[in-house]
Amino acid sequence: MDSFELAALLVIFGGKELIHIAEGGHAKEKKKAGYTLPVEVASASSSGAAPAAKKGFEFATVAALLPAAIVDAGQGVFKKCATCHTPNQGGKNGQGPNLWNIVDRDLAASDGFNYSKAMANKGGKWDYESLALFLHKPKKWLKGTKMAFAGLRKPEDIANLLAYMQSLSDSPVPFPGQ
């Protein structure tokens, strides 16, 4: 390539940039990132306390959804549970206990099922709140549980599943506030 061709290429491809530089270049332009990442601004209160932590899963969110929860949708969510649990009255225990009459049943109370020590020692009843928290993250709610399921993320899925579990009874326990 000779100098004439090189000059021609510079004029053709570099002309716009040369003019731009001659007019002051990039100094006049406001520098701005192509994409600004969303950042939560931490603001301390007047007392100097740290800002509140991001809220995690709360039963109140699920409880608000319960009046509109759909049993059939919950039955669909239950398909994830059916690998280990049976829902029918008099059903056998599987990898997990039978879930008929689960709502308001004592924890670790399914006859013939071998519960983990953690579950056997927990005490209490399966109310809607404990079920929701367990279904969301079983291992967080009960350290040492044998349940291998990772949990349900969506509050809507949990509410619908609770509506289905409510239906697994001869005398369904009303939702909180009903």
Side-chain angles (χ1 to χ4, degrees), residues 74-174:
Q75 189 172 13
V77 175
F78 185 79
K79 290 178 183 177
K80 296 176 182 182
C81 312
T83 304
C84 300
H85 298 276
T86 58
N88 51 323
Q89 184 175 13
K92 295 181 181 180
N93 293 321
Q95 186 75 14
N98 174 273
L99 297 180
W100 180 261
N101 271 334
I102 186 70
V103 180
D104 207 34
R105 181 167 79 192
D106 289 336
L107 276 72
S110 183
D111 290 334
F113 186 75
N114 184 22
Y115 289 95
S116 66
K117 275 188 181 181
M119 184 64 78
N121 294 332
K122 175 87 172 153
K125 291 190 176 283
W126 283 119
D127 59 12
Y128 291 110
E129 183 172 4
S130 60
L131 281 165
L133 295 170
F134 187 68
L135 291 168
H136 176 65
K137 287 192 178 175
K139 293 191 184 298
K140 181 178 179 183
W141 187 79
L142 182 64
K143 304 247 187 278
T145 183
K146 292 192 298 185
M147 187 150 140
F149 184 63
L152 299 170
R153 290 182 178 202
K154 297 180 183 176
E156 299 82 16
D157 287 347
I158 295 171
N160 289 331
L161 183 56
L162 291 177
Y164 176 65
M165 291 176 138
Q166 180 189 49
S167 76
L168 303 178
S169 175
D170 291 326
S171 355
V173 176

Side-chain angles (χ1 to χ4, degrees), residues 16-68:
K16 181 180 173 187
E17 194 61 31
L18 287 171
I19 293 169
H20 183 72
I21 292 170
E23 292 177 344
H26 300 289
K28 290 183 181 178
E29 294 178 9
K30 184 178 179 183
K31 293 182 181 181
K32 180 181 172 188
Y35 177 76
T36 305
L37 292 173
V39 177
E40 189 174 316
V41 178
S43 61
S45 66
S46 59
S47 65
K54 188 175 180 181
K55 287 187 178 181
F57 179 80
E58 293 181 0
F59 175 66
T61 305
V62 174
L65 298 170
L66 287 174

